[in-house]
Amino acid sequence: MSRIFSGIQPSGELHIGNYLGAVKNWAELQRSYESFFCIVDYHAITIPYEPEDLRARTREMMVSLLAAGLDPSTSTIFVQSMVPEHTELAWIFNSVTPLGELERQTQYKDKASRMESVPAGILNYPILQAADILLYRADLVPVGEDQVQHLELSREIARRWNARFGAEFFPEPQAKLTPARRIMGLDGSAKMSKSMGNTVGLLEPPDSVWEKLRPAVTDPARVRRTDPGTPEVCNIYHLHKAFSDAATVDHVAVQCRSAGWGCIDCKKVLLESMLRELDPIRERARDLQAHPERIAEILAAGADRCRVMARETMTAVKTIMGLL
Ligand code: ATP
Ligand code: MG
């Protein structure tokens, strides 16, 4: 059976971009694959943060993942820093990763350009990510489009390590994308990202979702209510494709092209579709929040399971590399 691994940073609240691009897919794939899902807190400390916030966000992320449908009875769900072998393997991969490849990564260039002083962790981030995946020798990685370049580098790292030590030990992990592989923020100018503050949270109350949806950017050609639009260039239409049923999506496109609806009408229908999917998730989260001991138990069990597998990998890696 193929093994899947994927991670999410506790750098903010789980948003609908994370959900549509990755987490919803995880909930589906866990039925057919041996699955590992990781809250990657060592990745999240590469940007400025407050320790108490990180702790709270890590727990809240766990609640959101379970509410979104991850099932601890079939998947292993854990926190990265509870399994020290992630950073141990990352150091080893540091020794086979070309600096030029790291400097070429779009996410590095993007995040570094917004910082006055750039920590080395931002540059080395994809090395730790390769270690996360390859520690469990996973071959499939369900992620959003922004992670495709990092995964190419993970494959390169696996190839280089295998070639250097003459062992076919690590698989070359492949990305697995969803149709909603890149959700834009509601201002339409950048990818929806936890660190950009342009998100709609998965657990956000309906009135707050509407407050964000109402002023959201649509097709700029629709200046007046009577101006027809092009659904394909509108972020709201793309959200309909993710949340609404096929008949509604078709209807939305017709109403947009003919100026039958104004953008507010279109957004009201989107809100309905979103709430149909998000209401039960929000309810499950409320139940989970009332049982923090259950969250702690699941995390401890996940980490125990991972530590055993991680130690096995590291023993094999060290033997092959001539480390004692
Ligand atoms: P940060 O801004 O801290 O990097 P993020 O919102 O990009 O946060 P990550 O934790 O880096 O979230 O990524 C978690 C998963 O969500 C990854 O698989 C990533 O590809 C996916 N993802 C993130 N943003 C989007 C988006 N806007 N559309 C689709 N998928 C996304
Ligand atoms: Mg990200």
Side-chain angles (χ1 to χ4, degrees), residues 6-10 14 18 23 26 38-41 61 65 194:
S6 202
I8 186 159
Q9 300 187 71
L14 198 158
N18 301 138
V23 176
W26 301 354
C38 184
I39 301 178
V40 289
D41 52 352
M61 181 57 74
L65 291 175
K194 290 187 236 98

Side-chain angles (χ1 to χ4, degrees), residues 16-58:
I16 59 169
N18 301 138
Y19 174 68
L20 297 171
V23 176
K24 190 175 176 181
N25 204 17
W26 301 354
E28 190 56 43
L29 294 167
Q30 68 183 344
R31 302 163 196 257
S32 345
Y33 294 93
E34 187 185 1
S35 304
F36 294 81
F37 302 116
C38 184
I39 301 178
V40 289
D41 52 352
Y42 274 150
H43 286 280
I45 63 170
T46 57
I47 55 168
Y49 75 97
E50 290 301 324
E52 271 316 310
D53 290 348
L54 180 63
R55 217 185 320 273
R57 284 198 307 253
T58 303

Side-chain angles (χ1 to χ4, degrees), residues 31-301:
R31 302 163 196 257
S32 345
Y33 294 93
E34 187 185 1
S35 304
F36 294 81
F37 302 116
C38 184
I39 301 178
V40 289
D41 52 352
Y42 274 150
H43 286 280
I45 63 170
T46 57
I47 55 168
Y49 75 97
E50 290 301 324
E52 271 316 310
D53 290 348
L54 180 63
R55 217 185 320 273
R57 284 198 307 253
T58 303
R59 293 196 182 115
E60 192 58 18
M61 181 57 74
M62 187 61 182
V63 165
S64 299
L65 291 175
L66 294 172
L70 295 198
D71 177 0
S73 70
T74 54
S75 301
T76 304
I77 313 167
F78 69 107
V79 172
Q80 186 183 31
S81 63
M82 291 171 78
V83 185
E85 286 81 1
H86 284 251
T87 43
E88 193 178 6
L89 185 59
W91 177 255
I92 287 173
F93 285 162
N94 262 291
S95 65
V96 296
T97 308
L99 189 56
E101 293 289 329
L102 293 171
E103 286 166 340
R104 264 186 349 100
Q105 300 297 308
T106 310
Q107 183 172 297
Y108 163 69
K109 288 193 275 191
D110 185 41
K111 288 199 169 165
S113 72
R114 287 186 260 131
M115 294 176 149
E116 243 173 59
S117 163
V118 182
I122 289 274
L123 179 70
N124 291 336
Y125 186 111
I127 299 182
L128 180 57
Q129 187 171 341
D132 298 336
I133 300 162
L134 294 171
L135 194 52
Y136 306 98
R137 298 210 270 169
D139 40 26
L140 215 55
V141 188
V143 283
E145 191 178 67
D146 59 323
Q147 293 302 323
V148 168
Q149 193 187 24
H150 284 170
L151 275 174
E152 261 170 43
L153 184 50
S154 288
R155 287 198 287 281
E156 169 92 15
I157 290 171
R159 266 197 301 276
R160 281 180 179 251
W161 190 93
N162 287 346
R164 166 66 184 83
F165 297 104
E168 278 307 309
F169 184 73
F170 289 117
E172 292 184 24
Q174 306 292 327
K176 194 164 173 55
L177 299 173
T178 65
R181 56 186 60 187
R182 181 183 166 84
I183 299 294
M184 298 298 283
L186 292 184
D187 62 357
S189 68
K191 172 189 98 76
M192 188 177 284
S193 287
K194 290 187 236 98
S195 53
M196 293 285 283
N198 62 355
T199 60
V200 176
L202 194 67
L203 306 182
E204 215 162 308
D207 48 347
S208 159
V209 174
W210 178 244
E211 258 165 48
K212 291 181 177 179
L213 219 46
R214 196 167 32 85
V217 169
T218 57
D219 176 359
R222 297 211 65 186
V223 181
R224 283 175 302 264
R225 166 73 178 74
T226 48
D227 293 331
T230 309
E232 289 76 15
V233 304
C234 180
N235 199 19
I236 298 299
Y237 176 67
H238 290 290
L239 289 173
H240 268 295
K241 286 214 283 195
F243 283 111
S244 298
D245 57 53
T248 306
V249 172
D250 288 347
H251 189 61
V252 162
V254 170
Q255 295 299 322
C256 178
R257 282 201 183 90
S258 63
W261 282 353
C263 294
I264 285 288
D265 303 316
C266 182
K267 288 172 176 176
K268 280 184 186 154
V269 177
L270 174 62
L271 181 69
E272 262 174 49
S273 302
M274 286 175 71
L275 295 183
R276 205 169 301 128
E277 185 150 348
L278 301 184
D279 282 347
I281 295 179
R282 220 176 325 103
E283 253 164 58
R284 274 198 295 275
R286 239 196 323 267
D287 287 346
L288 287 159
Q289 275 151 349
H291 296 286
E293 72 295 342
R294 168 115 183 83
I295 304 289
E297 261 168 43
I298 295 170
L299 287 179

